[in-house]
Amino acid sequence: MKIAISSLIVGAGILAACATTPSPPGRSYVAAQVAVANAEKLPVFTYGNQELTVARQKLEASRFAALDGKPELAEMLAVESQVSADLAVAKTSLGKVTATSEDMQNQNKALQQEMRRNLKATP
């Protein structure tokens, strides 16, 4: 009798432990981790720093939601994290292209001014 009761208690304990074990991260969480890691490799600090910070915060919140047994919230936060990381990358790309374009326009203006000076100096 004591063995049966002990077995029931151990069995109930195992079931309870399984019920509270967090599920492995979903695809959205892993995708968000990859997006944040990729964004961190770029110079986003100049153009997309705020978005990267939000992405990190959402990723951490997603992890906590998963640990708290809230898979729907964890999924939503992971997707939001990925979107924020992608936005940081896009803003960085746009910022770099804009800076390059402005630099080229300035160089073009300098060349035009030099050509005008040369035309005036030639008799």
Side-chain angles (χ1 to χ4, degrees):
M1 184 71 162
K2 287 183 181 183
I3 294 174
I5 293 175
S6 296
S7 296
L8 283 174
I9 292 173
V10 169
I14 291 172
L15 286 175
C18 289
T20 58
T21 301
S23 61
R27 281 187 276 176
S28 296
Y29 184 82
V30 173
Q33 282 182 313
V34 169
V36 169
N38 287 339
E40 289 174 338
K41 293 176 186 175
L42 299 174
V44 295
F45 302 105
T46 304
Y47 304 104
N49 192 34
Q50 182 177 357
E51 289 76 13
L52 181 57
T53 299
V54 169
R56 288 178 181 142
Q57 291 169 344
K58 297 277 184 174
L59 187 62
E60 186 69 7
S62 174
R63 187 176 72 80
F64 283 127
L67 291 174
D68 286 343
K70 300 175 183 172
E72 295 85 13
L73 179 60
E75 176 79 11
M76 181 189 71
L77 290 166
V79 169
E80 289 178 6
S81 172
Q82 183 178 0
V83 168
S84 293
D86 290 344
L87 180 58
V89 170
K91 285 182 89 172
T92 298
S93 296
L94 177 63
K96 289 167 68 176
V97 167
T98 301
T100 301
S101 175
E102 288 173 357
D103 189 41
M104 291 178 76
Q105 288 175 356
N106 290 337
Q107 289 176 12
N108 189 26
K109 286 178 187 176
L111 285 171
Q112 288 176 355
Q113 289 173 351
E114 185 66 27
M115 285 173 44
R116 286 190 202 110
R117 273 195 295 265
N118 287 340
L119 286 175
K120 289 180 183 177
T122 346

